[in-house]
Amino acid sequence: MPEDPSVMTAATALPSLAPQESLSLILAGRLSLAWQPVRSAVGTPFFEEGLARLTLPCGAVAAAGDWVPALEAAGLSAQLDRAALELALERLGRERTLRLSVNLSAANLADAPWHARLARAAREDADAARRLIVEITESASPDLGRLALARRAIAACGPAVALDDFGAGHATEAVAMILRPDILKLDKRFARDLRDGVAGAADRFAAALRKAIAAVDARRREAASSEPPPSALERLALLLQQPQREP
């Protein structure tokens, strides 16, 4: 998601970090989350999204784009997702009215330590767990069977589940039908094209919105035929990511 520099810790554009260097910094406790408000299509504040930052030994703060893609490509992003979850749970425990979201890479859907930490949070502070939103991010096509299992495990612990960038890349209708997201975030290009008056933007936005609703409703009907639909589906929120200024 594009980042609004007015609402977060300043981050410096730096040369890309090597994956092992990023991992070492995460393990050394140098990961932080910059919290950016997410708003509904009508502008209502909905929750705050945690955006990853690394503080380098020199004191500079590296934005996620400088190191997360390489970390994911090297298969080393599980520790990032675990650390981000820990930071979010700590803040939810301190500030009892917040709703916060953290990313979970599709590559880490079956990460046992991540799920174990979430399960412990549900036992120790169920209210905090319920105010957490787990946002599935995808840099490659996910395993749909693993996605379904992860969704059930997350929901059993209380958090809502969000699917990012629906209508673009790997966030397809098939993924939405399996994931049954509580929050479906449409790709930011729709907002940008509408804002800029791009020809056909309104029609493309309407088509994406229809697909989003149909994808979730189809899965809801399927679930209802065999088991009571999760109450979270009654709270489906369709979010349109607001265009933000580039850092």
Side-chain angles (χ1 to χ4, degrees), residues 138 141-142 144 163 165-177 184 215:
E138 301 166 85
S141 296
L144 296 184
L163 178 62
D165 290 339
F166 182 78
H170 302 287
T172 64
E173 293 170 67
V175 170
M177 289 177 68
L184 195 56

Side-chain angles (χ1 to χ4, degrees), residues 6 12 28 40 51 59 61 64 67 75 88 90-92 104 119 137 170 174 184 186 205 216 230 245:
S6 69
T12 304
S40 72
L51 304 170
V61 179
W67 53 278
E90 288 174 2
R91 189 177 179 209
L92 288 167
L104 174 63
T137 62
H170 302 287
L184 195 56
L186 297 180
F205 171 69
V216 176
R245 299 190 298 274

Side-chain angles (χ1 to χ4, degrees), residues 102-174:
V102 291
N103 292 341
L104 174 63
S105 171
N108 302 322
L109 289 171
D111 183 55
W114 188 95
H115 284 281
R117 179 64 184 96
L118 182 61
R120 180 161 66 88
R123 293 192 303 270
E124 296 176 352
D125 191 343
D127 175 68
R130 283 191 295 268
R131 288 182 287 111
L132 179 69
I133 299 166
V134 177
E135 191 165 323
I136 307 300
T137 62
E138 301 166 85
S139 56
S141 296
D143 180 297
L144 296 184
R146 183 175 294 179
L147 184 66
L149 290 172
R151 199 267 183 265
R152 288 198 291 272
I154 293 167
C157 293
V161 175
L163 178 62
D164 198 12
D165 290 339
F166 182 78
H170 302 287
T172 64
E173 293 170 67

Side-chain angles (χ1 to χ4, degrees), residues 9-244:
T9 304
T12 304
L14 299 167
S16 296
L17 299 172
Q20 287 292 347
E21 182 180 2
S22 300
L23 180 60
S24 296
L25 291 170
I26 293 170
L27 292 172
R30 289 181 171 269
L31 178 74
S32 61
L33 296 178
W35 297 102
Q36 174 167 286
V38 175
R39 302 179 185 277
S40 72
V42 294
T44 305
F46 200 73
F47 59 88
E48 293 182 30
E49 177 182 12
L51 304 170
R53 296 284 183 263
L54 276 181
T55 301
L56 307 185
C58 65
V61 179
D66 294 324
W67 53 278
V68 170
L71 194 72
E72 290 181 336
L76 299 175
S77 63
Q79 191 62 49
L80 166 62
D81 288 345
R82 296 172 199 167
L85 175 63
E86 190 67 45
L87 290 171
L89 290 171
E90 288 174 2
R91 189 177 179 209
L92 288 167
R94 295 192 308 269
E95 302 180 49
R96 308 301 297 186
T97 61
L98 289 178
R99 293 196 78 195
L100 303 177
S101 79
V102 291
N103 292 341
L104 174 63
S105 171
N108 302 322
L109 289 171
D111 183 55
W114 188 95
H115 284 281
R117 179 64 184 96
L118 182 61
R120 180 161 66 88
R123 293 192 303 270
E124 296 176 352
D125 191 343
D127 175 68
R130 283 191 295 268
R131 288 182 287 111
L132 179 69
I133 299 166
V134 177
E135 191 165 323
I136 307 300
T137 62
E138 301 166 85
S139 56
S141 296
D143 180 297
L144 296 184
R146 183 175 294 179
L147 184 66
L149 290 172
R151 199 267 183 265
R152 288 198 291 272
I154 293 167
C157 293
V161 175
L163 178 62
D164 198 12
D165 290 339
F166 182 78
H170 302 287
T172 64
E173 293 170 67
V175 170
M177 289 177 68
I178 294 295
L179 187 62
R180 298 186 297 178
D182 305 290
I183 300 166
L184 195 56
K185 297 168 69 177
L186 297 180
D187 180 53
K188 60 185 176 293
R189 66 179 175 177
F190 296 114
R192 184 180 61 241
D193 289 350
L194 284 169
R195 179 199 62 196
D196 295 342
V198 175
D203 289 340
R204 287 192 293 274
F205 171 69
L209 198 58
R210 286 194 297 270
K211 289 179 180 180
I213 294 170
V216 176
D217 281 351
R219 186 62 181 92
R220 182 178 182 176
R221 291 192 298 271
E222 179 184 338
S225 67
S226 58
E227 61 182 11
S231 61
L233 290 179
E234 300 294 339
R235 300 181 288 105
L236 173 66
L238 293 169
L239 295 185
L240 176 62
Q241 292 185 172
Q242 304 299 302
Q244 306 285 350

